[in-house]
Amino acid sequence: MIAGMVEMEPRVLVLFAHPALRKSRCNRRLLAAARSVAGVTVRDLYEEYSDFMIDVPREQDLLRAHDVIVFQHPFYWYSCPAILKEWMDLVLEHGFAYGETGRALHGKRLLSAVTTGGAAESYSGDGLNVYTVRQMLVPFEQTARLCGMRFLPPFLVQGTFTMKPDRLEEHAEDYARLLEALRDGNMDAEAVHSLPGIDGFQGGLVS
């Protein structure tokens, strides 16, 4: 870095989707944790677009302005809540996010921050759901790949139905720390592995 120059920190955009937030215990706490981190932009999609009339140019401008995109949501039927899927269908359009001229997202990073009511053991080859959450997030990973983005290992909070308050607080603190690291671009592999929510991370967060 040239002397006298200030290195720009990565900017983080959290796109939050929960259709019944007032009933949520875990996601409300995680959302508060995200909002507590300076330099992180948080958008509640159901609050912004209760009529599902998504302002595509506005959302595309926000994507251009941020380096790290986070999809935070509960795991609904092995996917995301409806408004996030609608957002993806409309905002990640050909010529913007993919295609010969669609390079607006190239080099950016995508993180899924997902909660499941069921415990981690139920998302395994021997469990009720057979597949891991990571396996079922493959459509999001492929979306990132098609858009020229790097898909980061997901941040998972599982077993929320029976989670005790102190354990939830630990997850919220971990989530805030992760967002801070993504903002600053300074989390190494050892620090990442110390966060229990990170699923299968094989390296540091810095590209």
Side-chain angles (χ1 to χ4, degrees):
M1 184 171 139
I2 300 174
M5 290 185 64
V6 177
E7 186 175 359
M8 182 178 293
E9 293 179 348
R11 293 161 294 186
V12 180
L13 173 65
V14 175
L15 297 171
F16 175 74
H18 196 309
L21 184 57
R22 67 188 181 279
K23 298 180 181 179
S24 169
R25 179 174 62 106
C26 185
N27 268 284
R28 274 190 299 156
R29 181 63 190 92
L30 294 178
L31 181 62
R35 284 175 167 159
S36 74
V37 180
V40 172
T41 303
V42 178
R43 299 208 11 115
D44 183 338
L45 294 180
Y46 277 101
E47 183 178 87
E48 292 286 339
Y49 302 115
S50 59
D51 58 1
F52 272 60
M53 299 295 291
I54 293 173
D55 184 343
V56 171
R58 169 63 174 155
E59 296 301 315
Q60 291 179 345
D61 285 344
L62 284 166
L63 290 176
R64 290 188 183 96
H66 293 81
D67 301 316
V68 181
I69 314 303
V70 179
F71 290 167
Q72 181 190 334
H73 59 89
F75 210 39
Y76 274 19
W77 283 106
Y78 312 114
S79 187
C80 61
I83 199 163
L84 181 54
K85 182 58 168 65
E86 179 80 351
W87 182 96
M88 294 171 68
D89 290 344
L90 298 178
V91 176
L92 303 181
E93 61 185 351
H94 185 271
F96 168 77
Y98 70 100
E100 188 173 342
T101 60
R103 301 181 60 83
L105 304 182
H106 275 222
K108 299 181 186 290
R109 290 175 286 175
L110 178 65
L111 170 76
S112 286
V114 175
T115 63
T116 68
E121 297 77 32
S122 69
Y123 290 89
S124 67
D126 298 325
L128 174 67
N129 298 295
V130 182
Y131 300 100
T132 67
V133 173
R134 178 62 183 268
Q135 288 173 315
M136 288 187 275
L137 287 173
V138 164
F140 294 89
E141 183 172 4
Q142 177 56 25
T143 296
R145 183 178 291 110
L146 181 64
C147 295
M149 305 175 75
R150 178 184 174 193
F151 186 74
L152 300 175
F155 180 82
L156 304 181
V157 179
Q158 299 189 260
T160 62
F161 290 157
T162 58
M163 185 173 292
K164 295 181 178 180
D166 58 344
R167 184 61 175 146
L168 174 55
E169 192 61 29
E170 290 175 3
H171 281 296
E173 292 172 1
D174 286 344
Y175 187 41
R177 287 173 54 208
L178 176 58
L179 293 177
E180 288 171 357
L182 288 168
R183 176 198 65 195
D184 299 339
N186 65 359
M187 181 176 277
D188 60 22
E190 182 178 352
V192 171
H193 280 299
S194 73
L195 300 181
I198 295 295
D199 178 55
F201 204 86
Q202 299 299 318
L205 286 179
V206 181
S207 301

